[in-house]
Amino acid sequence: MLITSLENERVKKYLKLQQRKFREKTGEFLVEGHHLVMEAFREGLIEELILEQDELLPLSVPTVYVTSDIIHKISTLETPSNVMALCKKKEETTSLGNRILLLDQIQDPGNLGTIIRSACAFHVDTIVLGNDTVDLYNPKTIRATQGMLFHMNIIRRDLEELIPLLKKEEIPVYGTKVEYGMDVRTLKEKDRSRYALVMGNEGSGVSSTIMELCDGFLYIAMSDEVESLNVAVATSILLYELDRGN
């Protein structure tokens, strides 16, 4: 099938998927580029492969061919890829595991994507997005994950409701704070194998209501000349330290 009209109903749907509300309504999203398409294919998430006419990518999924004009219209990239896919959202796993990352009001899609890559690299079992954290399926987030969102259990929950449940399971909940905090490098091995780590907003950090629910606080020892780190960088360092020896 070759679609040539910008008024085609499929094209209108692809355009609407740039909106978060429509993605949430349909449970679908778009990915762009060969690498992300192949990662989605390996997880069985592709509903429809979208190729620019004359492009070849022999995957065993329904395929739609479109003109260059349509590719440019539906893409969110300055230099669009000629390979895209309509995907369904990955199903959540009910078991959270022992190594849980809680994200409180992370706003930047690039930060979220980088955090997801680090969580995958350092063996986090589940990422929990708080209510006010940026949409996982924002196109910028998807690109920043480099496909790792397909390999992580990522759920969205109210953190104020979830944290007490984690405590009932005797999973320690750590916030981040220099005052009265513990150097993450000093944690015992048993404390690094089962935890929930809370990371907060780029500007204001973890909210006060969530901080009050934490069992303890961690910090990263660094030069006094540096006041703070980007949240994605800080999360990556903490997860690396928590993963050592595991």
Side-chain angles (χ1 to χ4, degrees):
M1 174 192 296
L2 173 62
I3 299 175
T4 60
S5 172
L6 293 172
E7 298 303 313
N8 183 277
E9 291 303 316
R10 263 194 171 90
V11 175
K12 290 180 180 179
K13 177 180 179 178
Y14 300 153
L15 282 170
K16 285 183 180 179
L17 286 170
Q18 293 179 6
Q19 305 168 19
R20 178 173 181 172
K21 287 184 179 179
F22 193 71
R23 293 194 295 268
E24 291 176 345
K25 177 182 177 182
T26 62
E28 297 171 313
F29 62 101
L30 292 178
V31 296
E32 304 183 53
H34 187 276
H35 175 70
L36 285 172
V37 167
M38 291 307 300
E39 292 291 337
F41 176 72
R42 292 186 185 101
E43 291 297 313
L45 298 178
I46 293 180
E47 295 185 328
E48 200 166 84
L49 184 63
I50 306 165
L51 301 178
E52 186 176 341
Q53 61 188 109
D54 301 326
E55 178 68 28
L56 293 176
L57 185 59
L59 301 180
S60 54
V61 294
T63 303
V64 173
Y65 293 90
V66 299
T67 62
S68 176
D69 285 346
I70 291 174
I71 284 286
H72 279 76
K73 185 72 173 178
I74 64 179
S75 174
T76 58
L77 298 172
E78 289 187 12
T79 305
S81 170
N82 51 8
V83 176
M84 302 176 67
L86 173 68
C87 300
K88 60 184 177 182
K89 292 184 178 181
K90 186 177 178 180
E91 291 185 8
E92 297 178 358
T93 301
T94 54
S95 174
L96 300 185
N98 292 321
R99 298 151 70 88
I100 305 164
L101 178 61
L102 311 179
L103 301 181
D104 180 32
Q105 303 180 61
I106 300 295
Q107 295 298 298
D108 184 86
N111 281 338
L112 177 57
T114 300
I115 287 169
I116 290 170
R117 290 177 69 184
S118 294
C120 193
F122 301 124
H123 307 106
V124 168
D125 295 317
T126 297
I127 298 174
V128 183
L129 309 180
N131 291 334
D132 295 321
T133 288
V134 66
D135 181 25
L136 172 63
Y137 296 99
N138 179 299
K140 291 181 181 179
T141 301
I142 293 172
R143 290 197 295 274
T145 71
Q146 288 291 301
M148 293 304 100
L149 82 162
F150 301 127
H151 305 296
M152 283 291 309
N153 184 41
I154 306 174
I155 65 176
R156 187 172 290 275
R157 294 288 188 275
D158 185 315
L159 299 186
E160 289 185 48
E161 295 178 0
L162 177 65
I163 290 175
L165 299 178
L166 296 178
K167 290 187 171 188
K168 285 184 179 180
E169 297 295 323
E170 298 184 343
I171 296 176
V173 179
Y174 297 113
T176 51
K177 185 165 58 174
V178 174
E179 300 87 356
Y180 312 112
M182 299 176 285
D183 184 336
V184 63
R185 298 172 299 179
T186 66
L187 278 185
K188 296 179 180 179
E189 186 173 337
K190 66 179 181 64
D191 295 321
R192 289 188 275 113
S193 60
R194 196 163 191 256
Y195 65 83
L197 173 67
V198 188
M199 300 300 296
N201 177 266
E202 289 86 347
S204 55
V206 178
S207 61
S208 58
T209 52
I210 299 299
M211 290 285 268
E212 290 174 2
L213 295 173
C214 294
D215 297 308
F217 301 97
L218 304 177
Y219 73 86
I220 300 166
M222 58 185 182
S223 168
D224 292 337
E225 297 178 5
V226 180
E227 184 178 339
S228 63
L229 295 171
N230 167 278
V231 66
V233 173
T235 304
S236 300
I237 293 171
L238 288 167
L239 292 179
Y240 166 78
E241 290 292 345
L242 288 166
D243 192 49
R244 286 194 308 126
N246 289 294

